[in-house]
Amino acid sequence: LIVQKLEDQISVLNNEKWSLMEQIQRLESEIDFLKNENFAVSTVYGVAPHPSLKQVPLTVSEDNGRYLDIKSSENDNKLGNTEETSLSLSAEVDSRTSKDDMLNSVPCKETEKLSSCAPSTKAAVHFDKPNRKLSPAFHQALLSFCRMSADSRLGSEVSRIADSEKSVMLMLGRCLPHIVPNVLLAKREELIPLILCTACLHPEPKERDQLLHILFNLIKRPDDEQRQMILTGCVAFARHVGPTRVEAELLPQCWEQINHKYPERRLLVAESCGALAPYLPKEIRSSLVLSMLQQMLMEDKADLVREAVIKSLGIIMGYIDDPDKYQQGFELLLSALGDPSERVVSATHQVFLPAYAAWTTELGNLQFHLIPTLLNKIEKLLREGEHGLDEHKLHMYLSALQSLIPSLFALVLQNAPFTSKAKLQGEIPQIEVTRFPRPVSPLQDVAIIIGSREQLAVLLQLYDYQLEHEGTTGWETLLWVVNQLLPQLIEIVGKINVASTACVHEFSRFFWRLSYIFYTHTYMHIYVHIKPKFFTVLLDSTAGNGVLTKATVPIYATGVLTCYIQEEDRKLLVGFLEDVMTMLSLSHAPLDSLKASFVELGANPAYHELLLTVLWYGVVHTSALVRCTAARMFELTLRGMSEALVDKRVAPALVTLSSDPEFSVRIATIPAFGTIMETVTQRELLERVKMQLASFLEDPQYQDQHSLHTEIIKTFGRVGPNAEPRFRDECKKQFQILILALVNNQQSVDSKRLDIATHLFEAYSALSCCFISEDLMVNHFLPGLKCLRTDMEHLSPEHEVILSSMIKECEQKVENKTVQEPQGSMSIAASLVSEDTKTKFLNKMGQLTTSGAMLANVFQRKK
């Protein structure tokens, strides 16, 4: 409090000092004025000064005639000469206004004379004094009853009204620091124009620094709209003052808040670095600002701040011109791509990566460094990931390559042999809306990279013509894509584990985008080059290299053959899948590559009809091996397929296969029938499926079919928790898993008995997740568990302990009549097992020594 009072006193004394100096200047100027001009003014009115009418002059300010000092009757005559150049025009206009006001204050008939003889630099305003004989002391004492305060800081400012633009700036510089703290936080952005204008025009560097400090600390935690307003003001300030003052005055404010405790303040700093980039000296962009952003990217824990940093880095990359910073930019790019926040990674693909790619293209490094380096990192990742691939890093590098495809295509167009012929004249062709995939950012729009949509349209027309009539001779950038990029990519694809769904999907997307963007209707040059290169590799697989079992098949099918689905393209895809299905089946090879193709294509409903066409080819094939493969593929196509299509196309095909002469084909249909039970709600179709599955159990010819029983148990254990409850209960009775358990007790071959018992254990564990009515519990579930326990006593004692615990708890529930109909879905903990028993159950499960896969199925829950 004492310090504040002392500061106020110092401020008051400073103000008084300035006031006294101004008064001295005014008095001196008025003395000179009265000596030189008093006679001229008297002549205008045609009378001599009256001895009893003393006129005290008060000068009119050249500012606008309104700002007067109520503490003094004099005025300052030192005006525009000391003002800054930027205010000279305003001073001239205001000076004219004040002189016009002066002329209007005299009689009209004298205006012309006054205009001709009035002083050129100062005009005087006179106030009449009363013709009284009161002493000055009496007047002073009388006026003391007017309640005025000129002793405080604010009173000093009020009593000394500014009379020039410079004085206004000085006054604002003194007053704003006291005004800001007393304005509501929600309204402080209203002060931004005033603060910026004063900071821009104030003559004192120290005061400007204080004002900019106030600007950056104006709002404790500025929201998005408030930050935008501050940034808008900073840009306006930068445009006005130039790069030197931006570096000297604005950047230090950013640096001070780089580690501020509030993320909103750090966010303002990150956004300011990008917004001010065009107005900074180029050396500062590539040194201080780049270092600030790098520090914030590496150290800031707030996702929003790092996201803003990435966007500002992208802007910096658009203005930087120091090639020595290329490697630093690449390292920042890798850090941004690997950021744990999806927001940051998204901003990288939208802003930073395209901007960096543009600079890389200018330096000639897109083909010879950026893309090859990312490919090498992917290859290294695959080599090191034989026992566990880092899919996150693979996605990181591959998505970066995918985002670079528009820049690569633009480079191919801009370095084509026909570039000199690309003139914007005559009728410009239209670009089809579907010609390019929708870009994730304007910076990935090929038209924006090229310069305009009209320029791109002309280049595309020449591109099609060149490939159709003249080929690629001398077209180095396109030849690099065809002869170096594609072979390396196809080689990488052959190293991918086909079981990695995520990897297959990522590479499929990449090849689809590459094929789609480079596609040309008239010649399909890249498309035609990609297909033979893939097909050459695939044909080699018949010699025993096994490429047909690798990810090359699904990536070629889904990433290349689907880039344009016209009738001809569809026939190519159908024929390829039919050939792969046939070759894999006849060679008894694993079906993983074919399954991956069906899963990837089946995710898009547009391909369901096409997949069913391929499968029908397998259904009617002469080889039982191909028919068996087709039956297994149906299971993969059903998820997401419309019930109408299932009813009209899938069910008839499965019924046909279920009566196949070969038992292996019939058994292969069971998982597909089970998937229909999971995914379809149409009652009539479900009844047909139930009848078909029941026939497998009731027909005497299947009694000794161990593989069929195993498949049914596995399927029902998978389907049961997900099927419609009422239909599921009917199936439990119909399929009589109890009978399978009883029959298994009589199995003489221990290996088969253990196999069935293991699958039954997994099925009962899965079904226990569902609500079980009292009737099913007593007549089916408990008897089946007891039969299963009999098997496990001899074959797997550790499982027997768990089964005994389950049986005991179920019997207790039945005896106490506590099994009730649920209102909705009921978990095993609620319907079967108490908390105490559940704890014992889990503890005993932890003591099992069986395989991890089996234990995982025990804990299977309803999806």
Side-chain angles (χ1 to χ4, degrees):
L1 183 62
I2 295 174
V3 172
Q4 183 63 41
K5 289 183 178 179
L6 291 173
E7 290 178 349
D8 290 342
Q9 291 177 5
I10 291 171
S11 177
V12 170
L13 292 173
N14 286 332
N15 292 335
E16 290 179 355
K17 181 184 74 174
W18 282 100
S19 177
L20 290 172
M21 291 175 64
E22 290 177 0
Q23 289 183 36
I24 291 171
Q25 292 174 351
R26 290 170 185 157
L27 290 171
E28 290 176 348
S29 62
E30 289 302 324
I31 291 171
D32 294 336
F33 176 78
L34 288 173
K35 289 179 178 178
N36 298 327
E37 301 298 330
N38 191 41
F39 179 76
V41 173
S42 300
T43 306
V44 169
Y45 291 95
V47 293
H50 196 282
S52 63
L53 187 61
K54 295 183 180 179
Q55 295 181 331
V56 180
L58 181 62
T59 59
V60 178
S61 168
E62 282 195 273
D63 183 13
N64 56 14
R66 297 175 185 171
Y67 302 117
L68 305 177
D69 192 331
I70 63 173
K71 290 174 63 178
S72 172
S73 60
E74 291 84 20
N75 228 332
D76 190 1
N77 68 335
K78 297 181 180 180
L79 295 173
N81 294 334
T82 61
E83 296 172 358
E84 294 182 8
T85 305
S86 61
L87 298 177
S88 60
L89 180 60
S90 175
E92 183 178 348
V93 172
D94 290 339
S95 178
R96 293 196 191 103
T97 304
S98 63
K99 292 179 180 180
D100 290 344
D101 291 342
M102 174 64 187
L103 293 176
N104 291 335
S105 65
V106 299
C108 295
K109 64 181 180 179
E110 303 295 337
T111 301
E112 186 177 351
K113 294 181 181 180
L114 183 58
S115 298
S116 61
C117 63
S120 59
T121 57
K122 280 286 184 178
V125 175
H126 302 275
F127 292 96
D128 292 337
K129 281 195 172 184
N131 187 14
R132 298 288 301 276
K133 297 180 179 180
L134 299 176
S135 66
F138 188 86
H139 267 290
Q140 188 71 24
L142 185 62
L143 291 174
S144 67
F145 287 95
C146 296
R147 299 181 59 84
M148 293 183 292
S149 174
D151 297 332
S152 64
R153 176 194 61 79
L154 183 59
S156 176
E157 294 291 352
V158 172
S159 65
R160 190 179 73 249
I161 296 177
D163 60 357
S164 68
E165 288 85 347
K166 182 177 179 180
S167 299
V168 171
M169 290 300 108
L170 293 172
M171 180 269 293
L172 288 173
R174 294 189 301 268
C175 293
L176 279 172
H178 300 280
I179 295 172
V180 170
N182 297 296
V183 178
L184 293 174
L185 286 173
K187 295 296 182 181
R188 284 191 182 177
E189 63 265 27
E190 298 291 340
L191 293 171
I192 294 175
L194 202 58
I195 295 172
L196 282 167
C197 184
T198 307
C200 185
L201 301 176
H202 202 285
E204 296 294 332
K206 184 177 180 181
E207 295 296 328
R208 295 199 300 266
D209 179 72
Q210 182 184 12
L211 289 166
L212 292 175
H213 180 77
I214 290 173
L215 176 68
F216 275 79
N217 293 272
L218 187 64
I219 302 166
K220 188 176 182 180
R221 307 183 74 161
D223 58 27
D224 187 60
E225 186 177 347
Q226 291 167 333
R227 289 196 308 275
Q228 288 182 25
M229 194 62 63
I230 294 173
L231 288 176
T232 303
C234 287
V235 169
F237 178 90
R239 286 174 176 170
H240 188 87
V241 302
T244 303
R245 281 184 59 182
V246 174
E247 175 190 353
E249 299 178 15
L250 271 183
L251 275 188
Q253 302 300 330
C254 295
W255 181 260
E256 285 181 8
Q257 306 215 13
I258 197 170
N259 293 314
H260 199 280
K261 65 178 181 178
Y262 292 131
E264 292 85 355
R265 295 284 192 87
R266 304 196 302 275
L267 192 56
L268 178 61
V269 173
E271 292 170 338
S272 297
C273 289
L276 295 174
Y279 312 103
L280 288 165
K282 62 180 183 179
E283 300 83 5
I284 297 299
R285 290 184 202 131
S286 56
S287 56
L288 177 60
V289 176
L290 191 60
S291 298
M292 288 171 61
L293 292 172
Q294 181 176 12
Q295 177 182 334
M296 297 183 77
L297 178 63
M298 300 302 177
E299 298 178 0
D300 207 294
K301 296 180 180 179
D303 293 353
L304 283 173
V305 175
R306 296 200 308 279
E307 179 187 14
V309 167
I310 290 300
K311 292 179 180 178
S312 292
L313 276 172
I315 297 172
I316 290 292
M317 291 299 148
Y319 284 89
I320 199 170
D321 56 5
D322 183 0
D324 294 338
K325 298 297 180 180
Y326 172 80
Q327 188 60 34
Q328 183 181 358
F330 182 69
E331 292 170 0
L332 287 171
L333 175 63
L334 293 181
S335 298
L337 290 170
D339 195 277
S341 169
E342 291 185 7
R343 299 178 66 100
V344 176
V345 175
S346 176
T348 303
H349 286 280
Q350 292 177 15
V351 185
F352 187 16
L353 182 56
Y356 184 74
W359 186 34
T360 303
T361 302
E362 291 180 26
L363 296 175
N365 290 338
L366 185 64
Q367 292 173 282
F368 304 111
H369 179 266
L370 184 55
I371 292 178
T373 303
L374 291 173
L375 287 173
N376 292 337
K377 287 184 177 294
I378 291 175
E379 287 186 317
K380 181 181 178 182
L381 206 60
L382 293 174
R383 285 196 305 270
E384 297 174 349
E386 293 181 357
H387 304 292
L389 179 64
D390 190 338
E391 292 185 355
H392 174 71
K393 280 192 175 180
L394 180 65
H395 168 75
M396 179 179 86
Y397 297 137
L398 198 56
S399 61
L401 279 174
Q402 182 172 311
S403 295
L404 290 173
I405 294 175
S407 298
L408 178 61
F409 184 63
L411 178 65
V412 168
L413 290 179
Q414 291 171 327
N415 289 271
F418 52 76
T419 305
S420 59
K421 303 176 185 176
K423 305 296 183 183
L424 293 177
Q425 56 188 8
E427 185 177 354
I428 298 175
Q430 294 295 317
I431 302 176
E432 294 181 11
V433 177
T434 58
R435 176 61 184 83
F436 294 101
R438 184 176 181 180
V440 298
S441 161
L443 299 178
Q444 289 193 27
D445 188 337
V446 180
I448 290 179
I449 297 173
I450 293 292
S452 69
R453 196 164 184 82
E454 293 76 18
Q455 185 69 21
L456 176 60
V458 172
L459 288 172
L460 286 176
Q461 187 179 43
L462 294 170
Y463 172 75
D464 290 348
Y465 182 87
Q466 176 81 18
L467 293 178
E468 184 178 9
H469 296 94
E470 300 179 17
T472 61
T473 304
W475 199 343
E476 294 183 1
T477 51
L478 185 57
L479 288 172
W480 177 84
V481 173
V482 173
N483 297 327
Q484 296 186 47
L485 178 62
L486 287 179
Q488 187 175 3
L489 285 168
I490 294 172
E491 183 182 354
I492 290 173
V493 165
K495 300 175 183 177
I496 297 173
N497 182 0
V498 70
S500 176
T501 306
C503 293
V504 171
H505 178 69
E506 289 293 335
F507 271 96
S508 295
R509 286 181 56 197
F510 173 80
F511 272 99
W512 182 90
R513 194 173 183 87
L514 181 68
S515 302
Y516 196 104
I517 288 180
F518 277 86
Y519 184 95
T520 168
H521 292 290
T522 56
Y523 186 62
M524 302 196 308
H525 186 77
I526 292 297
Y527 185 67
V528 169
H529 273 83
I530 293 176
K531 181 186 172 187
K533 289 184 181 297
F534 263 105
F535 214 67
T536 300
V537 174
L538 292 170
L539 288 176
D540 288 343
S541 65
T542 58
N545 63 6
V547 177
L548 277 180
T549 63
K550 296 185 178 294
T552 311
V553 168
I555 291 172
Y556 175 62
T558 62
V560 178
L561 296 180
T562 62
C563 84
Y564 268 84
I565 294 298
Q566 299 175 359
E567 189 58 34
E568 183 180 351
D569 301 317
R570 295 178 73 89
K571 289 178 181 179
L572 287 171
L573 179 57
V574 169
F576 175 73
L577 291 174
E578 290 174 352
D579 292 342
V580 171
M581 183 167 64
T582 303
M583 286 188 283
L584 290 178
S585 301
L586 296 179
S587 61
H588 298 276
L591 301 176
D592 293 339
S593 60
L594 186 63
K595 290 179 179 179
S597 302
F598 272 70
V599 169
E600 189 71 19
L601 290 170
N604 187 345
Y607 298 115
H608 287 172
E609 288 274 7
L610 183 146
L611 292 176
L612 291 178
T613 301
V614 175
L615 291 177
W616 185 252
Y617 164 84
V619 170
V620 298
H621 201 277
T622 56
S623 170
L625 293 172
V626 178
R627 296 198 302 273
C628 188
T629 297
R632 295 198 176 279
M633 291 299 107
F634 272 108
E635 178 188 358
L636 302 175
T637 62
L638 285 166
R639 301 186 185 280
M641 186 175 288
S642 68
E643 292 193 8
L645 211 53
V646 174
D647 188 30
K648 293 178 181 179
R649 299 283 302 274
V650 178
L654 288 174
V655 170
T656 300
L657 292 172
S658 65
S659 58
D660 194 273
E662 294 290 333
F663 275 110
S664 61
V665 176
R666 301 181 202 177
I667 294 170
T669 63
I670 293 174
F673 280 122
T675 303
I676 292 178
M677 292 171 57
E678 282 186 280
T679 57
V680 172
T681 58
Q682 190 181 128
R683 189 69 184 180
E684 182 181 348
L685 181 56
L686 290 173
E687 288 293 337
R688 288 158 57 193
V689 170
K690 184 179 73 172
M691 291 175 60
Q692 183 60 53
L693 290 174
S695 69
F696 286 133
L697 290 173
E698 295 169 358
D699 195 327
Q701 64 178 322
Y702 299 123
Q703 286 183 358
D704 297 327
Q705 291 294 324
H706 175 80
S707 57
L708 183 140
H709 293 163
T710 301
E711 199 65 56
I712 285 182
I713 294 170
K714 287 166 59 180
T715 298
F716 198 67
R718 170 175 60 86
V719 171
N722 303 314
E724 194 272 327
R726 186 176 300 176
F727 180 70
R728 179 184 63 226
D729 293 345
E730 293 177 8
C731 290
K732 286 177 184 176
K733 296 177 182 179
Q734 186 74 31
F735 294 161
Q736 293 290 326
I737 295 182
L738 166 61
I739 294 176
L740 293 174
L742 289 169
V743 170
N744 197 51
N745 289 160
Q746 311 304 318
Q747 176 62 253
S748 58
V749 181
D750 283 348
S751 60
K752 291 184 178 181
R753 187 179 179 187
L754 178 59
D755 189 33
I756 291 291
T758 301
H759 290 301
L760 281 171
F761 178 80
E762 294 174 354
Y764 273 109
S765 299
L767 292 172
S768 67
C769 300
C770 314
F771 170 73
I772 303 174
S773 66
E774 186 173 355
D775 174 57
L776 282 174
M777 178 72 74
V778 173
N779 297 319
H780 298 275
F781 198 82
L782 270 173
L785 281 175
K786 291 177 180 179
C787 291
L788 182 58
R789 182 177 62 180
T790 302
D791 285 336
M792 290 302 185
E793 285 176 355
H794 300 92
L795 303 172
S796 181
E798 58 267 32
H799 285 84
E800 187 271 334
V801 174
I802 298 173
L803 289 168
S804 296
S805 177
M806 293 175 66
I807 291 170
K808 181 179 179 181
E809 194 67 30
C810 291
E811 288 176 340
Q812 183 179 354
K813 293 285 185 181
V814 172
E815 290 173 2
N816 296 332
K817 298 181 180 181
T818 56
V819 178
Q820 301 175 359
E821 289 291 332
Q823 297 298 321
S825 177
M826 185 177 293
S827 67
I828 183 172
S831 63
L832 290 177
V833 186
S834 65
E835 286 297 321
D836 180 58
T837 304
K838 184 173 72 171
T839 304
K840 295 178 183 177
F841 176 84
L842 294 175
N843 289 337
K844 291 175 181 176
M845 285 295 295
Q847 300 169 5
L848 286 178
T849 59
T850 52
S851 69
M854 186 185 301
L855 293 179
N857 289 328
V858 170
F859 289 103
Q860 184 179 356
R861 289 294 180 263
K862 186 174 181 180
K863 296 180 180 178

